[in-house]
Amino acid sequence: MAYDAVLLDLYDTLVWSDWHAWQGRLADRLGITLEAMGHAFSRTRPARSVGVYPDTEAEVAAVLEAADVAITSELLAEILTLEDEMGASVRLYDDSMQVVTALRERGVPTALVSNCSHNTRPIVDRLGLEQAFDAVILSFEIGAMKPDPAIYREALARLGGPDPARSVFVDDQVRYCDGAAAVGLQTFLILRPEEALEGRPIDLNGHRPIETLTPLLGLGT
């Protein structure tokens, strides 16, 4: 099938990281439980994802405050260093650039669409994703996050306004695929084998499952 455009999620779709191990390491350093650490990230995620905070330092401070951890300049600097190390460990899946490059060679515009905070911008730049994609939409930079229709529409607009019905969105989260479907996009739910230990959704809500990005090229799974 020929597509007018392809929109791709970032984390657990194009790239992977040992986020859970890093979160555990951070919890140990702060002397709190992993559950408390996860709650602090979850509680601040909406604000961090739409650019409420001016920079990574302010975001980290907000997470520490949500975790009820006393903030000192020394601790803040240490956690920022740990966060930089985490960002440096993010890697592309083997098929990611192969598929993105092949799509663009076929004349199919591509957009990266990610819910994220300030710490993702250095990752995008380090991996050369601005050059690899026709458009890069990071939620904290535009003030809207999936599944808000605004973020999908912004991606389509930056690609020149392709027909949503002839365009595709790929994500590892059902509700983000739901948001894309609501604006008329075709959807693929990517369930990479590497992420199987995190659990799989019971209800795919009609989104077509794939385990790699190669089906976008008509190559099969």
Side-chain angles (χ1 to χ4, degrees):
M1 180 182 293
Y3 304 122
D4 286 356
V6 173
L7 285 58
L8 297 169
D9 170 52
L10 181 61
Y11 294 109
D12 296 332
T13 297
L14 285 168
V15 303
W16 60 272
S17 66
D18 198 350
W19 162 252
H20 295 287
W22 182 83
Q23 186 171 311
R25 179 183 173 193
L26 182 57
D28 288 343
R29 169 60 187 85
L30 297 176
I32 62 177
T33 66
L34 186 57
E35 181 181 12
M37 192 75 262
H39 177 72
F41 277 111
S42 296
R43 181 178 171 187
T44 59
R45 184 170 294 113
R48 290 186 290 111
S49 295
V50 295
V52 168
Y53 305 104
D55 52 31
T56 302
E57 181 173 334
E59 290 173 348
V60 169
V63 172
L64 295 178
E65 182 177 355
D68 198 24
V69 172
I71 302 172
T72 66
S73 58
E74 293 79 9
L75 177 62
L76 191 57
E78 182 180 350
I79 302 307
L80 284 168
T81 297
L82 290 176
E83 183 145 306
D84 287 343
E85 292 175 1
M86 187 276 290
S89 71
V90 174
R91 294 290 181 267
L92 290 157
Y93 286 108
D94 291 341
D95 62 333
S96 294
M97 287 302 95
Q98 172 194 351
V99 170
V100 173
T101 299
L103 287 169
R104 295 187 76 187
E105 288 176 347
R106 297 178 185 188
V108 180
T110 60
L112 173 65
V113 184
S114 177
N115 279 4
C116 58
S117 52
H118 283 84
N119 61 5
T120 292
R121 172 47 71 180
I123 296 170
V124 167
D125 294 341
R126 175 175 62 81
L127 296 176
L129 299 181
E130 283 282 359
Q131 294 71 40
F133 283 83
D134 295 289
V136 171
I137 291 79
L138 306 182
S139 64
F140 81 93
E141 292 182 343
I142 69 164
M145 60 186 290
K146 298 175 288 188
D148 185 335
I151 193 169
Y152 309 101
R153 290 173 179 153
E154 177 67 16
L156 291 169
R158 292 194 193 183
L159 294 180
D163 182 358
R166 289 182 50 82
S167 301
V168 169
F169 174 73
V170 183
D171 203 295
D172 65 301
Q173 300 293 318
V174 171
R175 70 190 191 99
Y176 299 158
C177 286
D178 291 345
V183 300
L185 286 157
Q186 299 182 52
T187 56
F188 283 102
L189 181 68
I190 190 162
L191 302 170
R192 289 190 178 273
E194 296 92 332
E195 305 302 323
L197 293 178
E198 295 183 21
R200 296 293 178 87
I202 296 174
D203 183 3
L204 305 186
N205 205 21
H207 306 299
R208 289 167 289 179
I210 54 177
E211 290 192 345
T212 72
L213 294 175
T214 55
L216 299 177
L217 304 178
L219 300 177
T221 55

